[in-house]
Amino acid sequence: MILLKTSGLSKTFGGLKALSDIDFSISSGEIASLIGPNGAGKTTFFNLLTGVYKPDAGEIDFCGERIDGRPPYWITKRGLARTFQNIRLFNNMTVLENVMVGRHCRTRSELFTALLRTPGFFREEKEIAESAMERLRFVGLLDDGNELAKNLPYGAQRKLEIARALATEPKLLLLDEPSAGMNHAESLEMAQLIQRISKEGITILLIEHRMSLVMKISQNVHVLDHGFKIAEGTPDHIQNHPKVIEAYLGSTQETPEITIDARG
Amino acid sequence: MTKKISIGFLLLASLALPLLFQNSSYSYVIRIFGLVGLYMIMGLGLNIVVGFLGLLDLGFMAFYAIGAYTMALLSKAGVGFWPALFCSVSLTVAVRALLGAPVLRLRGDYLAIVTLGFGEITRIVLNNWDSVTNGPRGISLITDANIKPVSVFRWTLSTNTDFYYLIFFMLLLCIVMTRRVLNSRMGRAWMAIREDEVAARLTGIELTRMKMIGFVMSAAFAGLAGGIFARWENFVTPESFTFWESVMLVAMVVIGGMGSIPGTLVGVSIVVLVPEILRNVLSPGLMSWRYLLFGVALVAIAVFRPQGIWPSRRRERELNAPLSEMKEVS
């Protein structure tokens, strides 16, 4: 079953065509990767899916519903969550609170229930805290729950971002370079985490420069270059695809085996 | 435990303060602490906007003014204190919502400019709308026979001590309300917006709506303080609500520690009390240096302790335990 589908998706910034006519689809339960040289439009694609930008042309269908042009909170509530290329946490909140914020779109209590401290308020707060702890346990950060997010080591911050995204109960999780800046062991751990998330029934689309990770865990790989989709297929197929090799090696001299450290 | 004891001690001291000074030649101290209380109420309101939403509001006194003038005009028309206070708060909130609707969609810097402008517009309107506000002469509530006394059940409030207690209990109420909201889904959403607006938006928070609720709630505090002020002072004039006062309020919140309730209370106390103390300590020749000294102190705090005197601490929770057992340290 197709979970998300875009057709003819385009986005222009000034004179720059960031994305041209992208047809893309991902099926439920799949782990797919989006690769391409720097500036290919991968993050722009994520930004269109999550409602940060409105597309200039084309449609996005998610679970049989048009989501293009909708605000981000609406899209998140429909079940699309993401992480960011440069980690964006709520730094001065605790690790647990970061994940609790992820529960926002699944809970309702506002000003008056909070002021009056109704039984419903306590029930909901309890639910928020418990399900946030569950996500923290899932990514292995429960013991750091009371730390401020900014005090976590880099790898843990990446996991925390994922836990926060998971707390919104996504059907589709978009990961923007989850292993950027990690060493080999950490990236293996990240691969395992992604596979565990997948086992929970969550569909995953990741942007990744680390080809070993991409080829190991994804069922399908989509390749962007200069805003165009140039290839799509299984990892084996993509690795030998002439256009992909050209995009990576032909003009820019970048090799896919080099991982780009997004921290710098 | 020590925390509980010190809070209890502070509460007792606050309650006893008027009794100690009531009949001495220092009775004006009661008045000053009453004022501190009113500023604390406003500081708590402003703290929501500055400390939690991360927005700079440079015209907060406008809402104090709207609360005070609403109270003054309604009292003159013969409306009782409590209904008039309710109207003060409601009107302040309504005006704030009208202001917030267009500007909260913009980025934070614009908000600073708009609120600054709104603060000045409010003062100028009050100064020039003679037929309603009596212009720069202000509205006096002393001589009017129409005016109903301020009473709580059968107790009629007239002296500084009476108003001190009224303000004290209102302040407690405001502290409890603020605490409750901040330790809820709402407060976490506000903090998330302050920390990273983009991430908050993409984590499912309806930015404009959440900002609006905080923005409006903050003004309710100013309206409340303004309403009480009008009946306590029995006189309102546009000169009480200048840009300078708005700036001082922001200074109080920043110095105390943005986003921290005790910080706000400490910041207010310092900013209001230090000039008063200097007034008494300094020789007449140095009096005019008072604000210079004060200014230097503010700069020093900003440089050496940018997080404020009493910065907020996050709540610690018992991990793996049900909510009822969670500790609070904020």
Side-chain angles (χ1 to χ4, degrees):
Chain A
M1 193 195 97
I2 287 178
L3 183 66
L4 179 120
K5 181 169 173 297
T6 75
S7 42
L9 202 63
S10 300
K11 180 72 190 174
T12 313
F13 296 108
L16 178 77
K17 283 213 112 184
L19 283 177
S20 308
D21 211 15
I22 305 292
D23 294 329
F24 169 92
S25 71
I26 186 168
S27 307
S28 278
E30 197 181 321
I31 301 180
S33 296
L34 191 59
I35 64 169
N38 286 329
K42 303 179 298 288
T43 298
T44 304
F45 187 66
F46 270 21
N47 283 339
L48 286 173
L49 296 186
T50 49
V52 178
Y53 303 138
K54 288 187 175 56
D56 296 326
E59 331 188 331
I60 308 167
D61 288 286
F62 182 59
C63 303
E65 218 177 344
R66 283 280 294 268
I67 61 166
D68 47 291
R70 295 284 191 171
Y73 76 84
W74 190 91
I75 293 173
T76 309
K77 190 153 187 189
R78 286 299 177 287
L80 217 165
R82 72 174 285 180
T83 64
F84 300 88
Q85 189 175 351
N86 309 309
I87 299 175
R88 308 191 80 125
L89 290 170
F90 308 125
N91 278 328
N92 291 303
M93 297 172 79
T94 65
V95 167
L96 181 64
E97 282 173 329
N98 267 269
V99 185
M100 288 170 83
V101 171
R103 297 301 297 160
H104 187 91
C105 65
R106 300 288 164 217
T107 45
R108 291 214 317 265
S109 144
E110 274 187 4
L111 207 52
F112 290 103
T113 42
L115 282 175
L116 300 173
R117 295 264 150 129
T118 57
F121 170 82
F122 285 111
R123 219 177 305 127
E124 198 176 82
E125 277 291 296
K126 188 166 179 258
E127 187 278 323
I128 292 172
E130 282 173 355
S131 62
M133 285 179 206
E134 207 174 289
R135 265 56 174 207
L136 279 181
R137 190 181 298 123
F138 184 80
V139 302
L141 287 176
L142 188 59
D143 292 338
D144 300 313
N146 284 327
E147 282 290 332
L148 290 185
K150 63 179 175 192
N151 296 338
L152 286 188
Y154 179 76
Q157 292 195 348
R158 285 250 171 242
K159 288 185 199 159
L160 176 55
E161 246 198 338
I162 293 175
R164 182 179 68 189
L166 288 176
T168 67
E169 293 177 20
K171 295 192 184 88
L172 173 60
L173 179 62
L174 308 177
L175 301 172
D176 200 341
E177 294 194 34
S179 85
M182 289 183 169
N183 64 28
H184 185 66
E186 286 172 322
S187 88
L188 282 181
E189 204 189 329
M190 182 54 74
Q192 282 170 358
L193 177 61
I194 293 170
Q195 284 170 325
R196 276 171 52 223
I197 295 170
S198 178
K199 284 211 185 75
E200 298 285 309
I202 295 167
T203 310
I204 293 167
L205 175 62
L206 61 147
I207 293 177
E208 193 46 74
H209 280 297
R210 196 186 292 261
M211 289 305 141
S212 54
L213 182 74
V214 169
M215 299 307 163
K216 184 176 158 203
I217 65 172
S218 37
Q219 284 122 36
N220 273 304
V221 181
H222 305 254
V223 191
L224 290 181
D225 186 32
H226 292 103
F228 291 92
K229 185 159 151 183
I230 57 168
E232 162 182 5
T234 60
D236 285 341
H237 175 69
I238 290 298
Q239 269 170 317
N240 302 312
H241 197 291
K243 274 190 176 173
V244 178
I245 294 168
E246 190 196 317
Y248 272 97
L249 300 175
S251 50
T252 60
Q253 295 300 316
E254 270 183 305
T255 62
E257 289 307 324
I258 291 176
T259 33
I260 283 84
D261 185 352
R263 283 185 88 181
Chain B
M1 196 60 202
T2 42
K3 191 186 160 200
K4 276 192 179 144
I5 293 171
S6 32
I7 289 176
F9 178 76
L10 265 177
L11 283 178
L12 276 178
S14 310
L15 281 171
L17 183 121
L19 305 174
L20 292 174
F21 289 105
Q22 211 164 20
N23 298 314
S24 73
S25 57
Y26 291 108
S27 61
Y28 69 90
V29 169
I30 300 168
R31 208 189 126 68
I32 290 171
F33 275 95
L35 268 179
V36 169
L38 284 183
Y39 275 103
M40 281 176 171
I41 292 175
M42 273 191 288
L44 288 175
L46 188 62
N47 184 35
I48 295 174
V49 177
V50 176
F52 280 86
L53 288 171
L55 302 168
L56 186 52
D57 188 335
L58 290 174
F60 203 61
M61 283 312 264
F63 298 93
Y64 187 54
I66 291 168
Y69 269 86
T70 307
M71 173 60 85
L73 291 169
L74 288 177
S75 299
K76 267 184 110 72
V79 178
F81 175 70
W82 293 105
L85 192 62
F86 179 76
C87 293
S88 287
V89 173
S90 313
L91 187 68
T92 313
V93 161
V95 174
R96 184 78 156 178
L98 285 176
L99 178 69
V103 299
L104 283 179
R105 291 173 189 281
L106 303 172
R107 278 206 339 271
D109 341 15
Y110 292 96
L111 193 89
I113 296 166
V114 172
T115 50
L116 187 155
F118 185 80
E120 282 304 279
I121 289 168
T122 306
R123 191 180 58 78
I124 292 165
V125 166
L126 294 175
N127 215 17
N128 291 286
W129 196 6
D130 275 2
S131 57
V132 176
T133 66
N134 202 24
R137 291 178 300 281
I139 301 173
S140 168
L141 300 175
I142 297 171
T143 50
D144 210 311
N146 239 344
I147 295 171
K148 297 206 168 60
V150 181
S151 52
V152 181
F153 301 109
R154 284 172 153 186
W155 174 41
T156 301
L157 279 66
S158 57
T159 65
N160 282 340
T161 308
D162 297 339
F163 273 96
Y164 175 92
Y165 283 120
L166 175 67
I167 292 165
F168 180 71
F169 284 109
M170 285 296 180
L171 176 62
L172 287 188
L173 189 71
C174 289
I175 293 173
V176 170
M177 291 203 313
T178 314
R179 277 184 63 100
R180 287 187 164 191
V181 175
L182 296 186
N183 289 319
S184 76
R185 170 179 177 265
M186 197 82 222
R188 284 189 300 270
W190 290 343
M191 266 181 279
I193 292 171
R194 176 192 69 192
E195 292 295 312
D196 190 328
E197 195 165 307
V198 173
R201 200 154 71 105
L202 288 162
T203 308
I205 291 171
E206 321 89 307
L207 280 192
T208 312
R209 181 181 163 73
M210 290 297 126
K211 281 186 184 176
M212 190 63 162
I213 294 174
F215 193 66
V216 165
M217 181 181 166
S218 70
F221 287 67
L224 176 74
I228 297 172
F229 174 75
R231 287 308 304 268
W232 180 24
E233 191 76 11
N234 273 325
F235 183 61
V236 289
T237 143
E239 283 320 297
S240 312
F241 314 108
T242 56
F243 172 60
W244 169 250
E245 295 278 336
S246 292
V247 171
M248 289 311 275
L249 260 180
V250 174
M252 295 173 194
V253 174
V254 173
I255 287 169
M258 279 190 276
S260 145
I261 294 174
T264 301
L265 303 181
V266 169
V268 170
S269 309
I270 290 174
V271 176
V272 180
L273 292 179
V274 168
E276 289 301 329
I277 294 167
L278 288 176
R279 190 206 297 274
N280 288 304
V281 173
L282 294 179
S283 60
L286 282 173
M287 269 302 274
S288 48
W289 291 74
R290 180 157 78 102
Y291 276 102
L292 180 68
L293 290 177
F294 186 55
V296 170
L298 295 193
V299 172
I301 290 171
V303 171
F304 295 111
R305 210 173 156 78
Q307 74 275 40
I309 292 169
W310 192 322
S312 68
R313 282 172 61 196
R314 296 311 313 144
R315 199 171 191 212
E316 266 181 34
R317 287 167 191 270
E318 202 58 65
L319 301 166
N320 285 321
L323 188 78
S324 53
E325 289 167 34
M326 285 175 187
K327 297 183 284 192
E328 266 182 54
V329 293
S330 68

